[in-house]
Amino acid sequence: AVKRTQDERKQREQKEAEIVRLKEEHRKRLDEEKALKRELQLNEKYQLYLTNVVEGGSDDYHEIQDLLSRYKSLKDINQDLADAQRKHEQDNEDKRLEFANFKKERQNEMLNQNNDIAKLQKKLEGHERETMGLLNDVDSTIRGTSDKTLELGQILRSVQNLLERFEKQVHSHAKHKQDHPRRAEKATSGGKSAEEIESDGNNAVLSLDEICMYMLDYKDIVDEWLEECAEAKRKERGAAFRAGEDS
């Protein structure tokens, strides 16, 4: 009897637990029903709206499902467009960063090139100053050469004029021309090459040799004349002395 009592109590407890479980499940079902009813009430206006759209809309939509399919297609297309826009925005951002880096690199390159240009400009200015110094040296050299060339021309002309004067004063001018057929040309050095100037100098040396010959001849003539004069005076003094003795 005790065992039967225990079994009955155990069964009663199980039944009570089952009742509690079923009540809890029933409560949940009621809550779900209430939620579904609320959702149904909320969706009834959409159902009514879709019905009105189908009935009063164009002939493209004969059923609500057609409208929902169209909505799904548009939603998918909108999603694709949104994804494409995000992709394009990301590409644009990547390009913007790439352009910013490219711009920074070009600015650095331009800065380096400007520094190189400044260095080359400074170097060019130094070369220009050096070139101007060399040009000034060349001008000075040219002026000095011109002055020396002018002096050389004057010397050559003086030698030529002196030779011509000797030739005019010497009594045997014609005979001397045959003995010395060479004559120095009019000596001018302007615009002549170095070879021509050297040739004029050699001619001037030959002319000076002729002048020297003329001067030696002239000295011999003068010495001979002086000797003759001295001899004549001696003879006069001797004649005068003899005349005094005779008287």
Side-chain angles (χ1 to χ4, degrees):
V2 174
K3 185 176 183 303
R4 187 172 58 248
T5 302
Q6 291 177 350
D7 291 339
E8 290 177 354
R9 187 174 62 249
K10 185 177 180 180
Q11 289 178 359
R12 186 176 63 252
E13 291 176 353
Q14 291 178 349
K15 293 296 183 180
E16 289 176 355
E18 180 70 16
I19 291 171
V20 171
R21 185 184 66 78
L22 292 174
K23 285 182 179 180
E24 180 65 22
E25 185 176 354
H26 178 67
R27 187 187 63 78
K28 290 181 178 180
R29 296 293 182 183
L30 290 177
D31 292 339
E32 291 178 357
E33 181 181 359
K34 290 179 182 180
L36 291 174
K37 285 181 179 181
R38 286 195 301 270
E39 186 177 358
L40 178 61
Q41 290 175 356
L42 291 174
N43 291 332
E44 280 181 351
K45 58 183 179 180
Y46 299 114
Q47 179 72 24
L48 179 61
Y49 173 76
L50 293 175
T51 301
N52 292 332
V53 171
V54 171
E55 291 178 353
S58 65
D59 296 335
D60 295 334
Y61 310 107
H62 300 288
E63 295 181 1
I64 293 177
Q65 187 61 40
D66 296 335
L67 188 61
L68 293 176
S69 299
R70 178 61 176 170
Y71 168 76
K72 184 177 183 304
S73 299
L74 293 175
K75 184 178 180 181
D76 293 339
I77 293 173
N78 182 68
Q79 183 64 39
D80 294 339
L81 292 174
D83 293 340
Q85 181 179 1
R86 284 192 294 272
K87 182 178 182 302
H88 292 157
E89 288 176 353
Q90 184 62 41
D91 292 341
N92 183 62
E93 180 66 16
D94 294 340
K95 294 295 182 182
R96 188 187 67 79
L97 293 176
E98 183 179 356
F99 174 74
N101 293 331
F102 174 81
K103 183 178 179 181
K104 184 177 180 179
E105 290 176 358
R106 297 291 80 78
Q107 287 176 345
N108 292 334
E109 184 178 352
M110 290 177 63
L111 180 61
N112 294 331
Q113 289 178 351
N114 289 333
N115 292 333
D116 293 339
I117 290 174
K119 293 179 181 177
L120 291 174
Q121 182 68 29
K122 187 176 181 180
K123 188 175 181 180
L124 176 62
E125 291 175 355
H127 286 317
E128 287 179 348
R129 288 192 297 269
E130 183 178 354
T131 301
M132 289 301 297
L134 293 175
L135 289 175
N136 292 331
D137 292 341
V138 170
D139 291 339
S140 299
T141 302
I142 292 174
R143 287 194 297 270
T145 303
S146 299
D147 294 339
K148 292 180 179 178
T149 302
L150 180 60
E151 292 176 359
L152 177 60
Q154 293 174 348
I155 292 172
L156 295 177
R157 286 192 296 272
S158 298
V159 171
Q160 181 65 26
N161 292 333
L162 184 59
L163 177 60
E164 291 177 354
R165 292 181 62 183
F166 268 105
E167 290 177 343
K168 290 179 181 179
Q169 295 298 326
V170 175
H171 181 70
S172 59
H173 175 69
K175 181 177 181 300
H176 210 31
K177 285 181 65 176
Q178 293 176 357
D179 294 337
H180 304 279
R182 183 204 55 80
R183 287 291 177 266
E185 296 179 354
K186 290 293 183 179
T188 57
S189 58
K192 289 189 176 184
S193 64
E195 290 78 6
E196 292 174 333
I197 293 174
E198 183 178 1
S199 177
D200 289 343
N202 293 332
N203 291 335
V205 171
L206 296 177
S207 296
L208 288 173
D209 291 339
E210 286 191 40
I211 293 172
C212 181
M213 293 173 59
Y214 283 128
M215 293 181 67
L216 292 174
D217 291 343
Y218 184 74
K219 181 177 181 300
D220 291 339
I221 294 171
V222 171
D223 290 342
E224 184 179 354
W225 180 78
L226 291 175
E227 183 64 27
E228 291 176 355
C229 290
E231 182 64 27
K233 288 182 179 180
R234 284 195 297 272
K235 289 180 179 179
E236 289 178 359
R237 286 196 297 269
F241 181 74
R242 288 192 296 270
E245 289 180 350
D246 293 337
S247 62

